[in-house]
Amino acid sequence: MADVFFGIAFGAGFIVGAGEDLRHRTLTPSGFGWELEGYEPSALVDAFHESGGLILIRDQGQLTPVALAEFAAIFGELEQNEKYDTEFLLPEHPEILRIGNLRQKGRYHSLFTRADPPPLMWHCDDSFRVPQPLGSCIWCVETPPEGGETGFAGMTAAYDALPVETLERVEGVMTTHSYDYLNEYLRERNPHRLPLSDALRAQHPPVERPLVAEHPETGRKSLYLPKCHIESVHGLSPEDGALLLDELLAHATGPDFAFMHRWAPGDLVVWDNRCTLHAPSRFDDVKYQRLLYRLTMRGEQIV
Ligand SMILES: [Fe+2]
């Protein structure tokens, strides 16, 4: 984690950029990630795209589940979390998935995945699924006093900064993303996690995805490398494929394009799964509780 910028905000103060209605400050030196100072709903989607696919709004502790759902629906139709244990969903709000270590009578009542120590598990949500959720929205309910941060990295800015030799190596390369591959990877670290059911495996067969994705709304290219979902890089041996992904990840999650977000209750974050990566970091889940509400939105797919 030492190579990741660990800050509250990069920009000195809130500014109004050209052509926007919202005051913001950037969260990385490359300009990826915007913290907004309040928001006007009609300007949010433009800000989302101009930020490179990550916006943060603090101090939203007053939101009710209904208001949270209305906010997330600005970005796309809400998904209903059919693939999760219903115990993980907020009662009467299947669009809200609880993430964290909430336990009652020895059972998790939230989706709990113990984070890897560095290197972090950089990913975008459900790239192995068709349709992939266009974006995810998280509202922080409770956070430990230390640990449990989330890293965010901008894949468009990272792509734009690639040297020409690397661009030539990645252009046109296809990969296979697999839910089963991810699940087995997670099970090695999380024995409480079940193997995929036959029904889920049949519902989510491996899918081909480009290593360089074009954003369907902005037309911009970005690296598309949730390594823990990528079963194979076409045309390369498993070893060479892993080396290429590691090399690209080291670049794309460096301090120009990535930062660690230290959560506070009431933080509201929306990211674009088609052009960003995120990564959880560890916390002491015996001593502390962490709880986030996550909503995912449907929309245009990468091309
Ligand atoms: Fe995630």
Side-chain angles (χ1 to χ4, degrees), residues 247-301:
E247 177 193 326
L248 295 172
L249 267 179
H251 162 78
T253 60
D256 281 350
F257 319 112
F259 70 101
M260 296 301 293
H261 179 58
R262 204 185 291 283
W263 293 97
D267 281 357
L268 186 56
V269 170
V270 188
W271 68 83
D272 190 324
N273 282 313
R274 303 162 299 186
C275 59
T276 68
L277 292 179
H278 58 278
S281 73
R282 284 203 157 179
F283 69 100
D284 185 337
D285 59 277
V286 175
K287 203 164 159 189
Y288 302 125
Q289 188 149 298
R290 180 178 191 255
L291 181 61
L292 306 171
Y293 285 1
R294 190 188 82 177
L295 302 91
T296 48
M297 294 79 78
R298 258 183 229 291
E300 297 286 317
Q301 300 292 288

